[in-house]
Amino acid sequence: MPEVQYHRDGDIAVLTIDNPPVNAIAQAIRAGLVAAIARLESDPAARAAVVIGAGGTFVAGADIKEFGKPAQPPALPDALDLVEAATKPIICAIAGNALGGGLEIALACHWRVATPKARLGLPEVTLGILPGAGGTQRLPRLIGAEQALEMILSGKPISGSAGHGLGLIDVLAEGDLRAAALALARQVVAENRPIRRSRDGVAEADPALFQQVLARNARKWQGLKAPFKIVDAVRLATQGGFRAGLAFERQAFLDCVTSPESRAQRHIFFAERAAQKIPGLGDAKARPIGRAAVVGAGTMGIGIAMALANAGIPVALLETNEDALARGVAQMAAQYRISVERGSSRADQAARAQALITPATDDGALAAADIAIEAVFEDMDVKRQVFTRLDRAMKPGAILATNTSTLDIDAIAAATTRPEAVVGTHFFSPAQIMRLLEAVRGRHSAPETIATVMALAKTLGKVAVLSGNADGFIGNRILQRYGDEADMMLEEGATPWQVDEALIGFGLPMGIFRMRDLAGLDVAWRIRQGRAARGLPVPPRQSAIPDLLCEAGRFGQKSGAGFYRYDGRNALPDPEVVAHCQAAAAARGTASQVPSAADMVDRVLCAMVNSGAELLAEGVALRASDIDVVYVYGYGFPVYRGGPMFWAEQQGLSVVLDKIRGFHARYGAGWAPAPLLVERAASGRWDGG
Ligand code: HSC
Ligand code: NAD
């Protein structure tokens, strides 16, 4: 039962917020806080109070599960008004997380003590909302509008030490937190210090700041509501009138929390966590990963090595020969340089990470590794040879992972004597940046192997989603299907730039053709050739256009031309592409009828959803929300739309099914509705509930 405990330590009351695992501010905590303040005021033996979290962490914010449900008083802003107005000094003691409403509790207290590693943040923006319990009004008054805007708009937490530097934290507790907070409380009482209330501060700001921030982020905030409200709320804080600011913040919070964008972002919050729960793992424990090896220092190998090193894991980076190794190491050094130049990492951090990567050409470097991640050419024979070597060189209990994007994990595992230790770890490019990791379970992958890879992803700051060992896994299988559909639109007379513009209008950061140009068209070309060589059938809606482009030497951005022509990184429309599209249309006999922008978006999304439903039915994806996580973190699907499967539920599964039936009638093969979609359409939910 969540509660706020009230104890006394001599003449100081200690209020402990207790709601495991993260001390979220459920209704009982708000009510408990109100009651505890009343008790403090009427307790003659208490001269001040310390507010602290149970379980070694402060408070992770409002209980997100309550959002969208009827309000249960007392409201947090009202409870915090009482905290701030208290006539006895209140000291907040922070270890672990003080996030969202948690930090807002701290801001309403009169003094703040934190451990150097405490995490202080207002991550509401990542849920499509703004701080709703005074954060937009109190924080700027404490640390200035510019710093406050940065914290609230980025949603990123800062450390207790950084908070101390900004004046957010009054005292850093190097040792025992509770003792430090009690000591400060006693000092405040002994010195009879006047109570300091954040609401009485003045929020300093350069008046040009707000316009600059809006201009800088115009593109990034497309489709979002909360960041704009945040800017308005903080601007109000600089114009005086604490009450007016609070009233604005409350209304803006209510507007945002009921918006479809916030519902979608909350869906992704819980989806990300649901993806970590894998049935059938029993009590399998993740093995500790103290050292890693990466085999292949190409595009992906370098990124994976960097991701590991950035998380503090020493990595041996292996190549076939010294030349290839030197090339890889130079490229890696360049990546680190760029990350420092762009300000995404500090020079000392980059240097420390780089020093953790040891280049090698000798298999001896594999012996100490707890995991090896293979990122060599996408060729089954090469992969199998590498795995036979890994099997020989690695210690018992080590994990043997492959970054293959298309090959059969079981066939790779069969080249070893320990298939239970083999698993897919499908990173996305650039691997040191992209948050998604598809963990691919082979037929023999042991529960411990899966648990280890899922835990490793978390250590790397990534989100792992488990996929079955199927062609294209989750992400690329869906990409293949809607990519084909987009190609068909070109045969019908649309241009790549028209289709891309329609998808960008929906919220994708980049259209599908631009994205494929960036990834390189030759990769998929080789895969198609491989399939043809194995006698596999051509999917019904696969156009010849990408083949024609590759045959003309158009491999995408890297060759200066693909679906676009390139001037450096600038993608330009190219009439030659239109000619290839017309040639493909003529060969197939596709009727010319340029789809509308709305039709383009509908066809792409319905293709995604239908394909997603097939993956669910096959058990390749464990749940619909896993597919959403894959698309948001791996393919830039707009988070405020919640992923394709959530989008479908919001549209109505029966509405989507009707559209798919319409496409089936119009285009025939390739558009047969997935049986699972037909089955779930009536309930309107993928989980059938
Ligand atoms: C907020 O605070 C709004 C305020 O401004 C107040 C507004 C009031 C307005 C009133 C107007 C009238 N709630 O992540 P983990 C669960 S918005 C509910 O695996 P970790 C989580 O689902 C909030 N549940 O652990 C999971 O449950 P499961 C702003 C929450 O150690 C379990 O706890 N705060 C929850 O890797 C463990 O979570 C945030 O956005 C919450 N707030 O990371 C912070 N937080 O086991 C959100 C967690 O059933 N939380 N759960 O799956 C986090 O970032 C991470 O959970 C932590 C811990 C970093 C805290
Ligand atoms: P790449 O061609 O850039 O790099 C492959 C590297 O492996 C080369 O440097 C090569 O010298 C090295 N290599 C080849 N055989 C080796 C061996 N026996 N031992 C050690 N090193 C060897 O390829 P890439 O794009 O980095 O792709 C690597 C793997 O990652 C492939 O399986 C690919 O399908 C997969 N993948 C690629 C992407 C992407 O976007 N590029 C994304 C996800 C997965």
Side-chain angles (χ1 to χ4, degrees), residues 294-302 304 318-321 324-325 327-328 331 360 363 374-379 382-383 385-386 389 402-407 425-430 476 518-519 523 527:
V294 172
V295 187
T299 313
M300 293 307 290
I302 289 171
I304 297 168
L318 277 91
E319 259 293 346
T320 39
N321 58 59
L325 192 58
R327 251 195 326 273
Q331 238 169 46
D363 282 1
E374 164 278 310
V376 305
F377 301 133
E378 186 75 343
D379 178 299
V382 179
K383 302 254 189 222
Q385 279 163 24
V386 169
R389 268 172 45 205
T402 169
N403 188 49
T404 178
S405 16
T406 53
L407 300 175
T425 48
H426 186 216
F427 287 82
F428 286 68
S429 179
N476 284 344
L518 201 60
V523 182
I527 294 170

Tab-separated table of all heavy atoms in Angstrom, residues 294-302 304 318-321 324-325 327-328 331 360 363 374-379 382-383 385-386 389 402-407 425-430 476 518-519 523 527, ligand 2:
chain	number	residue	atom	x	y	z
A	294	VAL	N	34.144	-7.584	-30.933
A	294	VAL	CA	33.348	-7.323	-32.131
A	294	VAL	C	34.177	-7.809	-33.313
A	294	VAL	O	35.368	-7.479	-33.422
A	294	VAL	CB	33.017	-5.819	-32.270
A	294	VAL	CG1	32.363	-5.536	-33.615
A	294	VAL	CG2	32.099	-5.371	-31.126
A	295	VAL	N	33.552	-8.605	-34.171
A	295	VAL	CA	34.290	-9.154	-35.308
A	295	VAL	C	33.827	-8.441	-36.581
A	295	VAL	O	32.652	-8.511	-36.936
A	295	VAL	CB	34.065	-10.671	-35.438
A	295	VAL	CG1	34.970	-11.246	-36.526
A	295	VAL	CG2	34.325	-11.357	-34.114
A	296	GLY	N	34.758	-7.767	-37.234
A	296	GLY	CA	34.432	-6.982	-38.425
A	296	GLY	C	34.405	-5.502	-38.063
A	296	GLY	O	33.584	-5.084	-37.255
A	297	ALA	N	35.341	-4.736	-38.648
A	297	ALA	CA	35.399	-3.301	-38.329
A	297	ALA	C	34.888	-2.488	-39.514
A	297	ALA	O	35.505	-1.531	-39.951
A	297	ALA	CB	36.829	-2.895	-37.954
A	298	GLY	N	33.730	-2.908	-40.034
A	298	GLY	CA	33.066	-2.131	-41.091
A	298	GLY	C	32.103	-1.151	-40.460
A	298	GLY	O	32.206	-0.831	-39.267
A	299	THR	N	31.140	-0.694	-41.258
A	299	THR	CA	30.163	0.296	-40.783
A	299	THR	C	29.553	-0.123	-39.451
A	299	THR	O	29.541	0.647	-38.488
A	299	THR	CB	29.019	0.413	-41.815
A	299	THR	OG1	29.600	0.534	-43.099
A	299	THR	CG2	28.105	1.565	-41.522
A	300	MET	N	29.029	-1.342	-39.412
A	300	MET	CA	28.300	-1.764	-38.219
A	300	MET	C	29.232	-2.131	-37.070
A	300	MET	O	28.966	-1.786	-35.921
A	300	MET	CB	27.390	-2.952	-38.545
A	300	MET	CG	26.264	-2.625	-39.481
A	300	MET	SD	25.256	-1.222	-38.948
A	300	MET	CE	24.403	-1.892	-37.528
A	301	GLY	N	30.307	-2.841	-37.386
A	301	GLY	CA	31.226	-3.279	-36.336
A	301	GLY	C	31.753	-2.096	-35.532
A	301	GLY	O	31.814	-2.132	-34.290
A	302	ILE	N	32.117	-1.034	-36.240
A	302	ILE	CA	32.635	0.152	-35.560
A	302	ILE	C	31.577	0.737	-34.630
A	302	ILE	O	31.843	1.034	-33.463
A	302	ILE	CB	33.035	1.217	-36.611
A	302	ILE	CG1	34.280	0.759	-37.334
A	302	ILE	CG2	33.247	2.570	-35.979
A	302	ILE	CD1	34.596	1.644	-38.513
A	304	ILE	N	29.013	-0.725	-33.299
A	304	ILE	CA	28.709	-1.616	-32.164
A	304	ILE	C	29.828	-1.522	-31.120
A	304	ILE	O	29.574	-1.444	-29.917
A	304	ILE	CB	28.516	-3.076	-32.652
A	304	ILE	CG1	27.314	-3.143	-33.598
A	304	ILE	CG2	28.337	-4.025	-31.480
A	304	ILE	CD1	27.191	-4.462	-34.365
A	318	LEU	N	38.037	-6.994	-33.984
A	318	LEU	CA	38.825	-7.885	-34.852
A	318	LEU	C	38.569	-7.676	-36.330
A	318	LEU	O	37.420	-7.475	-36.736
A	318	LEU	CB	38.509	-9.337	-34.507
A	318	LEU	CG	39.285	-9.885	-33.310
A	318	LEU	CD1	38.504	-9.665	-32.038
A	318	LEU	CD2	39.585	-11.360	-33.509
A	319	GLU	N	39.629	-7.778	-37.103
A	319	GLU	CA	39.520	-7.725	-38.566
A	319	GLU	C	40.364	-8.829	-39.170
A	319	GLU	O	41.141	-9.491	-38.474
A	319	GLU	CB	39.978	-6.362	-39.087
A	319	GLU	CG	38.839	-5.411	-39.445
A	319	GLU	CD	38.006	-5.860	-40.651
A	319	GLU	OE1	38.445	-6.755	-41.388
A	319	GLU	OE2	36.895	-5.325	-40.852
A	320	THR	N	40.225	-8.981	-40.491
A	320	THR	CA	40.958	-10.055	-41.165
A	320	THR	C	42.436	-9.714	-41.332
A	320	THR	O	43.283	-10.591	-41.285
A	320	THR	CB	40.374	-10.298	-42.568
A	320	THR	OG1	40.050	-9.038	-43.131
A	320	THR	CG2	39.169	-11.175	-42.525
A	321	ASN	N	42.747	-8.442	-41.547
A	321	ASN	CA	44.155	-8.070	-41.728
A	321	ASN	C	44.406	-6.657	-41.235
A	321	ASN	O	43.461	-5.914	-40.939
A	321	ASN	CB	44.556	-8.204	-43.207
A	321	ASN	CG	43.669	-7.331	-44.078
A	321	ASN	OD1	43.615	-6.115	-43.900
A	321	ASN	ND2	42.939	-7.941	-45.003
A	324	ALA	N	42.705	-3.600	-43.197
A	324	ALA	CA	41.274	-3.417	-42.928
A	324	ALA	C	41.085	-2.860	-41.513
A	324	ALA	O	40.236	-2.008	-41.270
A	324	ALA	CB	40.545	-4.744	-43.089
A	325	LEU	N	41.913	-3.356	-40.613
A	325	LEU	CA	41.816	-2.910	-39.221
A	325	LEU	C	42.138	-1.421	-39.119
A	325	LEU	O	41.410	-0.650	-38.467
A	325	LEU	CB	42.786	-3.726	-38.362
A	325	LEU	CG	42.624	-3.612	-36.859
A	325	LEU	CD1	41.211	-4.020	-36.433
A	325	LEU	CD2	43.644	-4.512	-36.146
A	327	ARG	N	41.911	0.821	-41.380
A	327	ARG	CA	40.817	1.599	-41.981
A	327	ARG	C	39.669	1.762	-40.981
A	327	ARG	O	39.144	2.854	-40.778
A	327	ARG	CB	40.292	0.876	-43.228
A	327	ARG	CG	40.639	1.567	-44.535
A	327	ARG	CD	39.823	1.039	-45.709
A	327	ARG	NE	39.479	-0.381	-45.694
A	327	ARG	CZ	40.256	-1.347	-46.186
A	327	ARG	NH1	41.436	-1.072	-46.723
A	327	ARG	NH2	39.859	-2.613	-46.148
A	328	GLY	N	39.323	0.663	-40.351
A	328	GLY	CA	38.220	0.691	-39.372
A	328	GLY	C	38.540	1.603	-38.199
A	328	GLY	O	37.705	2.403	-37.774
A	331	GLN	N	38.300	5.184	-39.130
A	331	GLN	CA	36.892	5.605	-39.262
A	331	GLN	C	36.250	5.817	-37.895
A	331	GLN	O	35.483	6.743	-37.691
A	331	GLN	CB	36.125	4.515	-39.997
A	331	GLN	CG	35.468	5.039	-41.264
A	331	GLN	CD	34.964	3.888	-42.091
A	331	GLN	OE1	34.340	2.971	-41.568
A	331	GLN	NE2	35.258	3.923	-43.377
A	360	ALA	N	42.552	-5.722	-33.063
A	360	ALA	CA	43.281	-7.001	-33.082
A	360	ALA	C	43.015	-7.743	-34.396
A	360	ALA	O	41.993	-7.534	-35.040
A	360	ALA	CB	42.823	-7.872	-31.907
A	363	ASP	N	42.872	-14.250	-33.126
A	363	ASP	CA	41.749	-14.811	-32.377
A	363	ASP	C	42.008	-14.892	-30.877
A	363	ASP	O	41.066	-15.065	-30.086
A	363	ASP	CB	41.407	-16.208	-32.903
A	363	ASP	CG	40.611	-16.134	-34.198
A	363	ASP	OD1	40.362	-14.989	-34.657
A	363	ASP	OD2	40.238	-17.192	-34.735
A	374	GLU	N	29.357	-10.542	-34.005
A	374	GLU	CA	29.915	-10.656	-35.355
A	374	GLU	C	29.209	-9.660	-36.279
A	374	GLU	O	27.977	-9.586	-36.292
A	374	GLU	CB	29.730	-12.109	-35.817
A	374	GLU	CG	29.895	-12.368	-37.279
A	374	GLU	CD	28.638	-12.047	-38.061
A	374	GLU	OE1	27.547	-12.496	-37.680
A	374	GLU	OE2	28.778	-11.301	-39.052
A	375	ALA	N	30.024	-8.885	-37.021
A	375	ALA	CA	29.452	-7.925	-37.994
A	375	ALA	C	30.291	-7.957	-39.260
A	375	ALA	O	30.809	-6.930	-39.711
A	375	ALA	CB	29.422	-6.523	-37.399
A	376	VAL	N	30.469	-9.162	-39.815
A	376	VAL	CA	31.248	-9.308	-41.058
A	376	VAL	C	30.266	-9.268	-42.238
A	376	VAL	O	29.080	-9.002	-42.055
A	376	VAL	CB	32.083	-10.610	-41.057
A	376	VAL	CG1	32.979	-10.659	-39.825
A	376	VAL	CG2	31.210	-11.856	-41.118
A	377	PHE	N	30.771	-9.530	-43.453
A	377	PHE	CA	29.912	-9.454	-44.634
A	377	PHE	C	28.652	-10.310	-44.472
A	377	PHE	O	28.694	-11.362	-43.833
A	377	PHE	CB	30.665	-9.942	-45.876
A	377	PHE	CG	31.903	-9.165	-46.172
A	377	PHE	CD1	33.101	-9.806	-46.468
A	377	PHE	CD2	31.887	-7.772	-46.156
A	377	PHE	CE1	34.250	-9.085	-46.745
A	377	PHE	CE2	33.035	-7.039	-46.438
A	377	PHE	CZ	34.223	-7.692	-46.728
A	378	GLU	N	27.576	-9.870	-45.134
A	378	GLU	CA	26.317	-10.604	-45.074
A	378	GLU	C	26.380	-11.797	-46.030
A	378	GLU	O	25.785	-11.788	-47.126
A	378	GLU	CB	25.161	-9.644	-45.435
A	378	GLU	CG	23.782	-10.218	-45.283
A	378	GLU	CD	23.324	-10.340	-43.840
A	378	GLU	OE1	24.158	-10.281	-42.916
A	378	GLU	OE2	22.120	-10.503	-43.636
A	379	ASP	N	27.122	-12.815	-45.628
A	379	ASP	CA	27.323	-13.976	-46.486
A	379	ASP	C	27.362	-15.202	-45.575
A	379	ASP	O	28.171	-15.262	-44.647
A	379	ASP	CB	28.660	-13.795	-47.230
A	379	ASP	CG	28.983	-14.977	-48.118
A	379	ASP	OD1	29.132	-16.119	-47.605
A	379	ASP	OD2	29.118	-14.766	-49.325
A	382	VAL	N	30.745	-17.006	-45.053
A	382	VAL	CA	31.695	-16.223	-44.239
A	382	VAL	C	31.258	-16.255	-42.782
A	382	VAL	O	32.063	-16.471	-41.868
A	382	VAL	CB	31.773	-14.763	-44.755
A	382	VAL	CG1	32.737	-13.950	-43.906
A	382	VAL	CG2	32.193	-14.728	-46.213
A	383	LYS	N	29.976	-16.080	-42.545
A	383	LYS	CA	29.469	-16.062	-41.159
A	383	LYS	C	29.734	-17.412	-40.490
A	383	LYS	O	30.162	-17.467	-39.333
A	383	LYS	CB	27.963	-15.795	-41.126
A	383	LYS	CG	27.533	-14.477	-41.780
A	383	LYS	CD	27.138	-13.442	-40.771
A	383	LYS	CE	26.507	-12.219	-41.396
A	383	LYS	NZ	26.904	-10.956	-40.863
A	385	GLN	N	32.003	-19.618	-41.143
A	385	GLN	CA	33.441	-19.763	-40.829
A	385	GLN	C	33.802	-18.982	-39.572
A	385	GLN	O	34.507	-19.469	-38.690
A	385	GLN	CB	34.287	-19.236	-41.985
A	385	GLN	CG	34.438	-20.221	-43.135
A	385	GLN	CD	34.909	-19.518	-44.411
A	385	GLN	OE1	35.521	-18.455	-44.337
A	385	GLN	NE2	34.598	-20.087	-45.556
A	386	VAL	N	33.292	-17.774	-39.500
A	386	VAL	CA	33.594	-16.940	-38.324
A	386	VAL	C	33.059	-17.614	-37.061
A	386	VAL	O	33.745	-17.677	-36.033
A	386	VAL	CB	32.990	-15.526	-38.489
A	386	VAL	CG1	33.049	-14.744	-37.180
A	386	VAL	CG2	33.707	-14.759	-39.593
A	389	ARG	N	35.184	-20.361	-35.825
A	389	ARG	CA	36.364	-19.812	-35.142
A	389	ARG	C	36.004	-19.304	-33.744
A	389	ARG	O	36.723	-19.522	-32.775
A	389	ARG	CB	36.916	-18.627	-35.957
A	389	ARG	CG	37.976	-19.022	-36.958
A	389	ARG	CD	38.317	-17.847	-37.829
A	389	ARG	NE	38.486	-16.609	-37.067
A	389	ARG	CZ	38.316	-15.384	-37.575
A	389	ARG	NH1	37.977	-15.221	-38.840
A	389	ARG	NH2	38.505	-14.323	-36.829
A	402	THR	N	25.250	-12.604	-33.570
A	402	THR	CA	25.453	-12.162	-34.945
A	402	THR	C	24.584	-10.948	-35.245
A	402	THR	O	23.437	-10.876	-34.806
A	402	THR	CB	25.130	-13.275	-35.970
A	402	THR	OG1	25.100	-12.675	-37.277
A	402	THR	CG2	23.785	-13.946	-35.710
A	403	ASN	N	25.163	-10.016	-36.001
A	403	ASN	CA	24.432	-8.805	-36.381
A	403	ASN	C	23.778	-8.967	-37.759
A	403	ASN	O	23.398	-7.981	-38.383
A	403	ASN	CB	25.412	-7.624	-36.388
A	403	ASN	CG	24.709	-6.298	-36.591
A	403	ASN	OD1	23.725	-6.016	-35.924
A	403	ASN	ND2	25.195	-5.485	-37.517
A	404	THR	N	23.635	-10.187	-38.189
A	404	THR	CA	23.042	-10.379	-39.531
A	404	THR	C	21.693	-9.673	-39.649
A	404	THR	O	20.928	-9.620	-38.682
A	404	THR	CB	22.851	-11.874	-39.855
A	404	THR	OG1	22.248	-11.962	-41.138
A	404	THR	CG2	21.973	-12.590	-38.857
A	405	SER	N	21.404	-9.141	-40.850
A	405	SER	CA	20.083	-8.525	-41.003
A	405	SER	C	19.112	-9.443	-41.724
A	405	SER	O	17.916	-9.182	-41.721
A	405	SER	CB	20.167	-7.184	-41.734
A	405	SER	OG	21.365	-6.993	-42.396
A	406	THR	N	19.620	-10.509	-42.347
A	406	THR	CA	18.691	-11.339	-43.128
A	406	THR	C	18.914	-12.839	-42.978
A	406	THR	O	18.045	-13.617	-43.372
A	406	THR	CB	18.846	-11.038	-44.638
A	406	THR	OG1	20.217	-11.162	-44.987
A	406	THR	CG2	18.365	-9.645	-44.990
A	407	LEU	N	20.055	-13.232	-42.456
A	407	LEU	CA	20.375	-14.672	-42.535
A	407	LEU	C	19.756	-15.464	-41.388
A	407	LEU	O	19.389	-14.901	-40.348
A	407	LEU	CB	21.894	-14.853	-42.570
A	407	LEU	CG	22.588	-14.182	-43.762
A	407	LEU	CD1	24.105	-14.318	-43.652
A	407	LEU	CD2	22.094	-14.754	-45.084
A	425	THR	N	21.813	-10.284	-32.660
A	425	THR	CA	21.727	-8.932	-32.080
A	425	THR	C	21.719	-7.988	-33.273
A	425	THR	O	22.771	-7.651	-33.808
A	425	THR	CB	22.941	-8.618	-31.176
A	425	THR	OG1	24.122	-8.983	-31.879
A	425	THR	CG2	22.869	-9.340	-29.858
A	426	HIS	N	20.544	-7.613	-33.695
A	426	HIS	CA	20.419	-6.805	-34.904
A	426	HIS	C	20.401	-5.329	-34.514
A	426	HIS	O	19.384	-4.801	-34.072
A	426	HIS	CB	19.142	-7.203	-35.647
A	426	HIS	CG	18.999	-6.526	-36.973
A	426	HIS	ND1	17.804	-6.111	-37.490
A	426	HIS	CD2	19.925	-6.170	-37.889
A	426	HIS	CE1	17.986	-5.539	-38.665
A	426	HIS	NE2	19.269	-5.568	-38.923
A	427	PHE	N	21.570	-4.693	-34.671
A	427	PHE	CA	21.698	-3.268	-34.377
A	427	PHE	C	21.262	-2.478	-35.611
A	427	PHE	O	21.250	-2.983	-36.728
A	427	PHE	CB	23.156	-2.918	-34.068
A	427	PHE	CG	23.639	-3.397	-32.721
A	427	PHE	CD1	24.075	-4.706	-32.531
A	427	PHE	CD2	23.675	-2.531	-31.640
A	427	PHE	CE1	24.535	-5.141	-31.302
A	427	PHE	CE2	24.142	-2.958	-30.400
A	427	PHE	CZ	24.567	-4.262	-30.237
A	428	PHE	N	20.978	-1.216	-35.411
A	428	PHE	CA	20.575	-0.339	-36.507
A	428	PHE	C	21.640	0.732	-36.702
A	428	PHE	O	22.294	1.138	-35.752
A	428	PHE	CB	19.189	0.261	-36.215
A	428	PHE	CG	18.115	-0.771	-36.393
A	428	PHE	CD1	18.029	-1.846	-35.505
A	428	PHE	CD2	17.258	-0.741	-37.465
A	428	PHE	CE1	17.095	-2.852	-35.685
A	428	PHE	CE2	16.317	-1.738	-37.661
A	428	PHE	CZ	16.232	-2.794	-36.765
A	429	SER	N	21.791	1.152	-37.922
A	429	SER	CA	22.880	2.070	-38.260
A	429	SER	C	22.471	3.537	-38.075
A	429	SER	O	21.374	3.898	-38.506
A	429	SER	CB	23.254	1.819	-39.730
A	429	SER	OG	24.272	2.674	-40.113
A	430	PRO	N	23.285	4.387	-37.485
A	430	PRO	CA	24.558	4.126	-36.827
A	430	PRO	C	24.359	3.503	-35.442
A	430	PRO	O	23.601	4.033	-34.626
A	430	PRO	CB	25.183	5.526	-36.707
A	430	PRO	CG	24.068	6.515	-36.860
A	430	PRO	CD	22.929	5.829	-37.522
A	476	ASN	N	12.601	-5.288	-40.792
A	476	ASN	CA	12.852	-5.309	-42.232
A	476	ASN	C	11.785	-6.085	-42.995
A	476	ASN	O	11.572	-5.845	-44.176
A	476	ASN	CB	14.243	-5.872	-42.531
A	476	ASN	CG	15.310	-4.827	-42.225
A	476	ASN	OD1	15.001	-3.645	-42.094
A	476	ASN	ND2	16.550	-5.254	-42.088
A	518	LEU	N	19.812	6.265	-48.696
A	518	LEU	CA	20.831	6.448	-47.662
A	518	LEU	C	21.424	5.095	-47.256
A	518	LEU	O	22.633	4.954	-47.059
A	518	LEU	CB	20.171	7.136	-46.454
A	518	LEU	CG	21.077	7.857	-45.488
A	518	LEU	CD1	21.844	8.965	-46.190
A	518	LEU	CD2	20.245	8.476	-44.359
A	519	ALA	N	20.579	4.094	-47.120
A	519	ALA	CA	21.054	2.770	-46.699
A	519	ALA	C	21.828	2.079	-47.824
A	519	ALA	O	22.692	1.236	-47.573
A	519	ALA	CB	19.875	1.911	-46.272
A	523	VAL	N	22.305	-3.369	-51.375
A	523	VAL	CA	22.171	-4.428	-50.363
A	523	VAL	C	20.919	-5.257	-50.665
A	523	VAL	O	20.972	-6.486	-50.782
A	523	VAL	CB	22.078	-3.808	-48.946
A	523	VAL	CG1	21.997	-4.891	-47.894
A	523	VAL	CG2	23.281	-2.900	-48.682
A	527	ILE	N	20.215	-9.150	-52.049
A	527	ILE	CA	19.309	-10.083	-51.353
A	527	ILE	C	18.289	-10.644	-52.355
A	527	ILE	O	18.020	-11.844	-52.383
A	527	ILE	CB	18.595	-9.381	-50.176
A	527	ILE	CG1	19.629	-9.009	-49.109
A	527	ILE	CG2	17.505	-10.264	-49.579
A	527	ILE	CD1	19.101	-8.117	-48.011
B	2	NAD	P1	30.824	-3.761	-44.049
B	2	NAD	O1	31.087	-4.328	-45.373
B	2	NAD	O2	30.881	-2.284	-43.841
B	2	NAD	O3	31.809	-4.394	-42.973
B	2	NAD	C1	32.130	-5.756	-42.905
B	2	NAD	C2	33.535	-5.852	-42.331
B	2	NAD	O4	33.781	-7.193	-41.962
B	2	NAD	C3	34.634	-5.465	-43.319
B	2	NAD	O5	35.430	-4.456	-42.731
B	2	NAD	C4	35.427	-6.748	-43.540
B	2	NAD	O6	36.805	-6.528	-43.721
B	2	NAD	C5	35.143	-7.490	-42.243
B	2	NAD	N1	35.302	-8.929	-42.346
B	2	NAD	C6	34.904	-9.727	-43.359
B	2	NAD	N2	35.203	-11.008	-43.052
B	2	NAD	C7	35.777	-11.010	-41.835
B	2	NAD	C8	36.288	-12.022	-40.992
B	2	NAD	N3	36.271	-13.291	-41.375
B	2	NAD	N4	36.820	-11.642	-39.814
B	2	NAD	C9	36.847	-10.345	-39.433
B	2	NAD	N5	36.368	-9.377	-40.197
B	2	NAD	C10	35.837	-9.680	-41.382
B	2	NAD	O7	29.387	-4.315	-43.617
B	2	NAD	P2	28.353	-3.711	-42.589
B	2	NAD	O8	27.425	-2.799	-43.289
B	2	NAD	O9	29.059	-3.235	-41.387
B	2	NAD	O10	27.491	-5.002	-42.217
B	2	NAD	C11	27.979	-5.987	-41.372
B	2	NAD	C12	26.837	-6.873	-40.940
B	2	NAD	O11	25.832	-6.088	-40.304
B	2	NAD	C13	26.131	-7.581	-42.078
B	2	NAD	O12	25.737	-8.844	-41.627
B	2	NAD	C14	24.934	-6.705	-42.350
B	2	NAD	O13	23.867	-7.396	-42.932
B	2	NAD	C15	24.587	-6.272	-40.958
B	2	NAD	N6	23.822	-5.014	-40.832
B	2	NAD	C16	24.124	-3.946	-41.593
B	2	NAD	C17	23.413	-2.768	-41.430
B	2	NAD	C18	23.758	-1.529	-42.213
B	2	NAD	O14	22.956	-0.592	-42.209
B	2	NAD	N7	24.898	-1.462	-42.854
B	2	NAD	C19	22.398	-2.703	-40.489
B	2	NAD	C20	22.121	-3.814	-39.693
B	2	NAD	C21	22.846	-4.975	-39.880
